[in-house]
Amino acid sequence: MQTPEQQQQQQQHEPDPPLLRLRGIVKRFGGFTANDHIDLDLRAGEAHGLIGENGAGKSTLVKIIYGLLQPDAGEIFLSAERIRLASPREARARGIGMVFQHFSLFENLTVAENIALALPSAETLHGLRPRILALAERYGLSLDPDRPVWSLSAGERQRIEIARCLLQDPRLVILDEPTSVLTPQEATKLFETLDRLKAEGRALLYISHKLDEVRRLCERATILRLGKKVGDCDPRRESPRSLAALMVGAEVADISPSAPHAQGPDLLVVDDLSLASQDIHGVDLSGISLRLRGGEILGIAGIAGNGQSELFAALSGERLGAGAEKIRIAGAPAGARDITQRRLMGAAFIPEERNGHAAAPAFSLAENVALSRHAAAGFARNGALNFARARQTARDIIGAFDVRASGPDAAARTLSGGNLQKFLVGREILGQPKVLVVDQPTWGVDAAAAGAIRQALVDLAGRGAAVLLISQDLDELFDVCDRVCVMHAGSLSPPRDARETTRAEVGLLMTGSVIEAAHAH
Amino acid sequence: MNAQLFELVLLTIVTASIPLVIAALGELVTERAGVLNLGVEGMMIVGAALGFAGAWASGSTLVGALCGVAAGMILAALFGLLTIVLAVNQVAAGLALTIFGVGLSGLLGAGFVGLKREGAPHLQLPGLSDLPFVGKLVFGEDAFVYAAFLLVALAAYFLARSRAGLALRAIGDNHDSAHALGLSVRGVRFLAVLFGGACAGLAGAYLSLAYTPFWAPGMTAGRGWIALALVVFASWKPWRVVLGALLFGGATVLQLHAQAASLGLPGQLMSATPYLATILGLVVLSLGARRNSAAPAALGQVFVPPR
């Protein structure tokens, strides 16, 4: 670890200027300071990690480097020349390329069209095809130029982003959380590509909150916390634990397992559930069976878009049509019941999308409590809502789950992602459900809130409830689940004991190879 | 039905379809850029009023057509200012534009009601135009017809093949990604809205200069709305717009002939058949290729650049 002072001394002795140098970058959004006097040096051929929690200011900083945002103060030097980047076009012209976290791709255009859009206008689509194929060959990125993007997997989409970036022959490649949607195998392939880029002398700025990846790839790292640079380090010499402590600013608590408890009766049973999707971009569910006992947490791993949302909708009753006997909640057939009826049977559901699905963004927290628990918690009598009770319940949730909000009347959208998610998890858990189905509860949530949410799920199971956890985060699944199964292309693999399976094994299932092999027999 | 009557029917079908083709094509380009402009009817009718006024004052059909185009573009610029620059809701602004346009056209055209001028001149190619059956249909139309088909061909090429067309489609598909790539989302959208306005104005001018040829208040008679519907049912594809417009024009003309032949069906039902036939035909078309629909994903969404 170096303090900023030591670092400054060191810089005064540097012989040649770094490829990219940031000095005192400040970016404010209204009263919120996203970047507060950030310095950064990046050399050619260096892989530099930019790590920090969600909301630490990493994405804002790289958007400034890529010309998408204008800093309020501070200087950017590229090869010792002070530059001002008015647009991404200028950044690309100067050799700065970026691979986005949320893909900046166009669903209805083909691979070649998507790539052409980022290149100088002189390029013709016709001349581009051989170049795409040559590049794909050179970096091991297999791509079909004529496929439309909507038909591609997340890994393929990312290869488009990378190819698009590389065709401009950049000196600096910025990667914003590139592995967040990849399987472990796809991530390994990505790292091989990145190693090749490094060997060619290109600089990489690698943003992640996955510390293992930063340690694997980067020789230097800058750590941001709440918009400020809190230090830099050689990540290879740090442990994931020490890096996490730097990121969070405190020691990270481990999840404590619930006290040993006996597993109860089957509370959620799904029997050979098949359901055709109603959405043209959706996934058909085929032959899903699972059996979840009280006191147990079953995890469903899988890459997004493999039928998880469809399964969630079928379980929650948002999508009917499965047949009464296909889904049983606490022993009773529930397949033909609607959402409210299923809640009355003792089930609770937390959808993936916080704002707009799990909560109405413009409604107050108390109103959001009433929306999901009006029937099961008896807030409504003869059609009239008892708002005093809903507000009291909201207050209880805020207290019990340490939600940072101004009170039960705060609008849901004014809460940060982590706080709103804690509130939503608390809303369902305080109702003491027998069955809880939860989809991606910690996506985009800071580490402290994620830890609290996971602990709440473990505690709920410890009290005898059955928890079904759908997640893309393998660390999370292995942290809290008793058994894990994998969803791929609408099918569910048989569950495995979480202590007896490995990440590699689950990762392989996520690509579908094993499930398909099993189906072939 | 003898051949001469048949040719006459085909000629009137083309005439009835052309305003729809032009107006729908403009709206198609606008929508492909992600902007829903419900003001087509309003821009069209102001184009009809000013087109006739311009032609009457100058004595030239071309000047009249240009006046119609200019009128459509001015209204479209107003719409663009509201929805693209000031980020007003597109549905509300479009409806307001139609109401405004209908009122404005009545005011502007008040002095021209009842006046009649020569229709737009038709092409005369010695020999070719006198060919039996196809002569008038292919070589004897007025300039609007050829302009319409040229516009469709150019727009189809522009959207599918040109770099600028690719950028326009990208912006209509995902304006956030387009912005992240450095494309000028608001600039391109504004130009697309202007093109839509120009086309609607031209379609209106066609009505008052070639179709009837005189000005009457409310003469667009809902054709702007039909054009809007055609765009959707044509799955945002230029040549399908032509097909839909011909279907609609065809049904319009045929039901007129059927009414004249007094088949005994209620006239109101006959008058409704073009609408029903067009919707049915295009629904069948769009069902056939749902996956191929080019529906712009960002259609109707207001873009505010993050700063």
Side-chain angles (χ1 to χ4, degrees):
Chain A
M1 271 306 298
Q2 294 175 322
T3 64
E5 291 78 34
Q6 285 171 334
Q7 201 196 326
Q8 218 157 29
Q9 281 174 1
Q10 199 183 28
Q11 274 154 14
Q12 281 159 6
H13 299 294
E14 274 170 1
D16 56 326
L19 176 64
L20 178 77
R21 166 170 283 182
L22 304 183
R23 283 294 170 268
I25 297 290
V26 177
K27 179 68 188 177
R28 294 187 192 89
F29 295 105
F32 171 70
T33 306
N35 283 168
D36 190 356
H37 294 93
I38 293 184
D39 298 343
L40 188 121
D41 283 321
L42 189 58
R43 313 196 147 274
E46 175 186 67
H48 193 112
L50 190 58
I51 57 183
E53 293 246 83
N54 286 297
K58 302 170 303 219
S59 290
T60 304
L61 186 66
V62 294
K63 279 180 183 164
I64 289 172
I65 301 173
Y66 191 56
L68 265 174
L69 293 172
Q70 304 305 317
D72 295 318
E75 296 171 318
I76 304 171
F77 299 91
L78 196 65
S79 305
E81 178 199 354
R82 184 167 175 199
I83 56 168
R84 212 179 279 276
L85 297 167
S87 77
R89 214 176 273 269
E90 280 182 38
R92 288 197 298 264
R94 288 182 180 274
I96 300 173
M98 179 151 171
V99 177
F100 287 90
Q101 173 185 15
H102 303 293
F103 301 127
S104 64
L105 296 176
F106 305 96
E107 297 271 325
N108 286 321
L109 305 185
T110 66
V111 172
E113 286 176 330
N114 266 283
I115 293 175
L117 275 168
L119 299 179
S121 7
E123 296 276 351
T124 64
L125 267 184
H126 195 70
L128 195 57
R129 296 184 80 260
R131 287 186 57 201
I132 293 173
L133 294 173
L135 184 97
E137 175 94 12
R138 181 163 152 214
Y139 292 100
L141 307 159
S142 62
L143 281 174
D144 176 355
D146 299 320
R147 288 273 296 274
V149 167
W150 58 258
S151 68
L152 302 179
S153 74
E156 289 170 302
R157 284 166 191 233
Q158 185 169 55
R159 293 204 283 273
I160 305 175
E161 289 263 2
I162 294 172
R164 178 154 86 177
C165 179
L166 292 180
L167 272 174
Q168 302 158 50
D169 196 21
R171 290 188 282 172
L172 165 61
V173 179
I174 303 167
L175 297 119
D176 191 356
E177 307 257 1
T179 58
S180 57
V181 292
L182 301 188
T183 62
Q185 283 80 4
E186 283 174 322
T188 308
K189 268 188 97 174
L190 170 71
F191 282 119
E192 285 166 15
T193 306
L194 296 182
D195 284 337
R196 211 164 309 174
L197 294 180
K198 228 163 69 168
E200 289 176 347
R202 302 181 206 272
L204 301 177
L205 186 57
Y206 189 88
I207 302 176
S208 187
H209 59 238
K210 291 187 187 164
L211 303 171
D212 291 337
E213 295 175 358
V214 176
R215 294 179 63 223
R216 147 90 173 76
L217 184 73
C218 305
E219 48 268 25
R220 281 214 301 151
T222 295
I223 300 140
L224 300 184
R225 185 163 73 232
L226 299 174
K228 290 198 172 86
K229 176 177 174 176
V230 292
D232 58 11
C233 63
D234 181 344
R236 293 167 302 185
R237 294 205 196 119
E238 306 278 334
S239 71
R241 216 179 165 77
S242 65
L243 281 177
L246 279 171
M247 263 166 60
V248 183
E251 288 294 316
V252 185
D254 279 328
I255 308 275
S256 53
S258 54
H261 52 274
Q263 300 216 326
D266 287 345
L267 288 179
L268 177 66
V269 178
V270 179
D271 182 26
D272 193 24
L273 168 73
S274 295
L275 209 51
S277 172
Q278 289 168 319
D279 181 1
I280 56 165
H281 294 319
V283 178
D284 300 340
L285 298 176
S286 69
I288 306 257
S289 295
L290 58 85
R291 188 169 289 270
L292 191 53
R293 303 173 66 177
E296 184 187 34
I297 303 183
L298 174 65
I300 295 184
I303 307 159
N306 269 294
Q308 292 97 324
S309 331
E310 287 82 357
L311 176 62
F312 181 90
L315 291 179
S316 72
E318 283 174 52
R319 170 83 203 276
L320 291 173
E325 291 293 334
K326 295 283 182 185
I327 299 170
R328 300 178 76 89
I329 293 172
R337 307 288 185 88
D338 67 20
I339 305 176
T340 301
Q341 288 168 331
R342 291 186 199 193
R343 285 185 187 279
L344 288 171
M345 296 168 81
F349 312 97
I350 309 173
E352 174 182 2
E353 188 78 26
R354 282 189 281 281
N355 267 312
H357 196 170
F363 281 26
S364 73
L365 294 179
E367 286 170 319
N368 271 301
V369 170
L371 276 176
S372 92
R373 290 187 45 201
H374 60 94
F379 292 150
R381 184 153 302 162
N382 303 327
L385 276 179
N386 183 343
F387 250 104
R389 276 189 61 195
R391 297 185 69 214
Q392 186 51 50
T393 308
R395 232 175 266 128
D396 293 346
I397 298 166
I398 291 172
F401 284 84
D402 186 30
V403 179
R404 308 283 156 81
S406 56
D409 297 322
R413 67 175 145 74
T414 61
L415 271 64
S416 75
N419 277 310
L420 182 56
Q421 193 71 40
K422 278 198 284 186
F423 184 84
L424 295 171
V425 170
R427 173 176 78 178
E428 304 307 331
I429 284 183
L430 278 197
Q432 298 297 351
K434 283 186 253 176
V435 176
L436 178 67
V437 182
V438 51
D439 193 0
Q440 311 282 6
T442 60
W443 194 89
V445 165
D446 60 275
I453 289 167
R454 287 171 193 157
Q455 187 66 58
L457 297 178
V458 169
D459 294 346
L460 180 70
R463 292 194 295 271
V467 177
L468 184 67
L469 170 61
I470 302 172
S471 179
Q472 289 178 60
D473 186 338
L474 287 185
D475 295 335
E476 171 168 280
L477 292 169
F478 278 98
D479 259 3
V480 305
C481 294
D482 301 302
R483 291 185 299 155
V484 179
C485 44
V486 175
M487 193 145 200
H488 177 262
S491 300
L492 200 62
S493 75
R496 287 155 191 250
D497 195 306
R499 281 157 302 190
E500 285 163 19
T501 187
T502 62
R503 263 152 234 262
E505 206 175 353
V506 171
L508 212 60
L509 285 169
M510 282 161 73
T511 62
S513 46
V514 181
I515 300 181
E516 271 155 24
H519 274 241
H521 289 296
Chain B
M1 194 187 286
N2 59 35
Q4 221 172 358
L5 179 63
F6 193 57
E7 184 179 10
L8 191 74
V9 168
L10 286 183
L11 276 173
T12 40
I13 287 175
V14 171
T15 322
S17 314
I18 288 306
L20 295 174
V21 170
I22 302 175
L25 184 74
E27 179 66 13
L28 182 143
V29 171
T30 306
E31 291 193 9
R32 272 297 188 80
V35 182
L36 178 68
N37 186 352
L38 295 182
V40 180
E41 178 85 359
M43 299 187 295
M44 218 168 149
I45 196 155
V46 174
L50 276 185
F52 187 81
W56 185 266
S58 67
S60 148
T61 304
L62 179 65
V63 171
L66 290 177
C67 283
V69 167
M73 286 177 84
I74 290 168
L75 285 195
L78 181 69
F79 177 82
L81 177 75
L82 288 173
T83 59
I84 296 167
V85 182
L86 301 175
V88 170
N89 179 294
Q90 293 174 4
V91 171
L95 290 174
L97 189 68
T98 285
I99 296 166
F100 172 65
V102 171
L104 183 69
S105 69
L107 180 70
L108 294 173
F112 298 91
V113 178
L115 300 178
K116 236 185 137 121
R117 61 186 297 280
E118 285 275 299
H122 283 241
L123 187 68
Q124 270 299 339
L125 292 178
L128 285 177
S129 300
D130 302 323
L131 284 176
F133 196 62
V134 292
K136 276 222 165 70
L137 196 62
V138 181
F139 302 107
E141 304 280 3
D142 59 53
F144 287 96
V145 177
Y146 300 111
F149 280 91
L150 187 67
L151 269 177
V152 172
L154 286 177
Y157 178 84
F158 170 81
L159 287 173
R161 292 295 156 89
S162 79
R163 160 107 193 168
L166 177 61
L168 184 140
R169 282 188 286 139
I171 285 166
D173 193 44
N174 184 342
H175 51 218
D176 292 318
S177 297
H179 175 72
L181 279 180
L183 300 177
S184 169
V185 174
R186 295 196 290 179
V188 170
R189 284 195 170 163
F190 202 88
L191 291 178
V193 166
L194 282 186
F195 178 77
C199 285
L202 183 66
Y206 175 82
L207 288 177
S208 63
L209 296 178
Y211 189 70
T212 46
F214 55 80
W215 158 255
M219 70 184 299
T220 47
R223 285 189 182 80
W225 298 111
I226 297 291
L228 271 164
L230 278 181
V231 176
V232 178
F233 290 121
S235 308
W236 292 268
K237 291 183 175 153
W239 287 110
R240 286 203 189 175
V241 162
V242 177
L243 198 69
L246 285 174
L247 205 64
F248 183 83
T252 311
V253 171
L254 288 180
Q255 65 92 7
L256 280 177
H257 284 278
Q259 281 197 42
S262 55
L263 290 183
L265 287 167
Q268 291 88 341
L269 185 69
M270 298 302 294
S271 305
T273 45
Y275 301 88
L276 294 174
T278 310
I279 290 173
L280 268 178
L282 290 169
V283 162
V284 169
L285 255 185
S286 54
L287 280 183
R290 266 168 79 192
R291 286 251 180 194
N292 272 326
S293 166
L299 183 62
Q301 293 170 17
V302 165
F303 175 72
V304 183
R307 274 294 152 207

